[in-house]
Amino acid sequence: MQRKPLIDMHTHTLASGHAYSTLKENIEEAKRAGLKVLGTSEHARMMPGTAPLLYFQNFKVIPKEVDGVRLYNGIEANIYDEKGSIDVEEPILGKMDYIIASLHTPCIKDLGTAGNTAALIGAMKNPMVTVIGHPDDSRYPVDADELAAAAVEYHTAIELNNGSLNPLSSRKEGPKNSRRILEACKKYKTMILMGTDSHICYEIGHFDAALALLEEMDFPEDQLIKYDLPRLPYVLLQKN
């Protein structure tokens, strides 16, 4: 019998501006889904409609655990240039439990394969970035081998994004690109973090497409951050 994932670190609430559930609803769904860890990663400032600075400064009011679900406060940063610069600065940088860095169309144009790859690797070089989010979009082609090798060098996880595997996803060719990235990650022994990228509570903890792809590819379990809580610190900042 297949074990159930225990961790979902890529989720959004109403605060991101284009999601549809509250933090409470997400926590309740995480409990129903059998998760032990829920990370909330609202979009950073360059994403239109997202939360204001004050939202991220007030993490102190969020409990560390609710009804057996451990809560972590992160952010999905936007990479905005070829250097891998992200739109997260003090005074909120030090409040993060983890940072996912991603390419999003409102925030950066396609830089070509070499430029997109350089941007993602540049973000990895930032010691505050712990995860590269959904590098599986043909609107931002990347060199999978360079990306996987750099992730190992800079101790950064690559995300397998369940949302990218949805046929309705706005990202292009997510399944094909995810296979290519997973193959490279197998080759370089890169750590993979599964994320739902939930924008509504009903998606929290549901990884059906990602699990099917991992099984199809016979991806090594020891490179996955999904079942074993002792692997979670790989994507957490040192203060944890």
Side-chain angles (χ1 to χ4, degrees):
M1 183 176 179
Q2 189 179 57
R3 288 191 291 163
K4 295 187 68 173
L6 301 178
I7 300 164
D8 193 355
M9 299 292 279
H10 192 164
T11 71
H12 300 273
T13 75
L14 287 166
S16 277
H18 58 278
Y20 298 93
S21 300
T22 64
L23 178 58
K24 183 175 187 290
E25 289 168 336
N26 282 2
I27 295 169
E28 291 170 348
E29 188 60 33
K31 177 70 173 178
R32 280 192 288 269
L35 295 182
K36 296 298 183 184
V37 172
L38 176 68
T40 302
S41 50
E42 311 294 8
H43 288 285
R45 61 176 174 80
M46 289 181 67
M47 182 64 73
T50 195
L53 183 67
L54 185 60
Y55 172 91
F56 299 101
Q57 291 177 297
N58 201 36
F59 281 160
K60 63 182 181 293
V61 306
I62 299 175
K64 295 293 185 184
E65 185 174 311
V66 175
D67 200 17
V69 179
R70 178 68 166 91
L71 305 180
Y72 289 98
N73 301 308
I75 194 167
E76 185 175 15
N78 299 290
I79 300 168
Y80 60 84
D81 61 23
E82 193 169 334
K83 296 178 182 178
S85 304
I86 59 171
D87 58 343
V88 184
E89 303 95 5
E90 293 293 357
I92 65 171
L93 197 60
K95 296 184 178 295
M96 299 300 152
D97 291 327
Y98 64 102
I99 295 178
I100 301 171
S102 307
L103 298 169
H104 291 115
T105 53
C107 307
I108 190 171
K109 65 180 182 179
D110 174 20
L111 302 173
T113 300
N116 297 330
T117 304
L120 292 175
I121 293 174
M124 291 179 191
K125 293 178 181 178
N126 183 336
M128 299 297 288
V129 172
T130 59
V131 184
I132 293 297
H134 51 72
D136 50 35
D137 189 348
S138 285
R139 296 178 299 176
Y140 296 106
V142 298
D143 185 308
D145 280 271
E146 283 190 35
L147 197 67
V152 173
E153 180 179 357
Y154 296 110
H155 195 82
T156 308
I158 299 291
E159 183 189 36
L160 174 59
N161 187 294
N162 197 77
S164 297
L165 303 175
N166 186 329
L168 300 179
S169 175
S170 60
R171 296 177 205 122
K172 304 300 182 186
E173 300 182 298
K176 180 186 78 172
N177 293 325
S178 293
R179 286 185 180 87
R180 186 168 54 85
I181 290 167
L182 287 173
E183 285 289 2
C185 289
K186 285 176 72 172
K187 178 179 176 181
Y188 294 98
K189 301 188 183 305
T190 311
M191 294 300 289
I192 293 290
L193 175 71
M194 289 171 53
T196 59
D197 201 357
S198 298
H199 283 68
I200 193 166
C201 63
Y202 306 112
E203 298 173 338
I204 299 285
H206 298 286
F207 296 97
D208 292 353
L211 289 170
L213 181 57
L214 290 168
E215 185 174 358
E216 171 196 320
M217 298 189 64
D218 194 26
F219 195 85
E221 188 175 308
D222 61 1
Q223 291 175 232
L224 297 173
I225 303 169
K226 63 171 183 172
Y227 300 130
D228 300 300
L229 298 186
R231 293 181 189 164
L232 183 62
Y234 194 89
V235 295
L236 296 177
L237 292 167
Q238 289 183 353
K239 66 189 180 72
N240 293 286

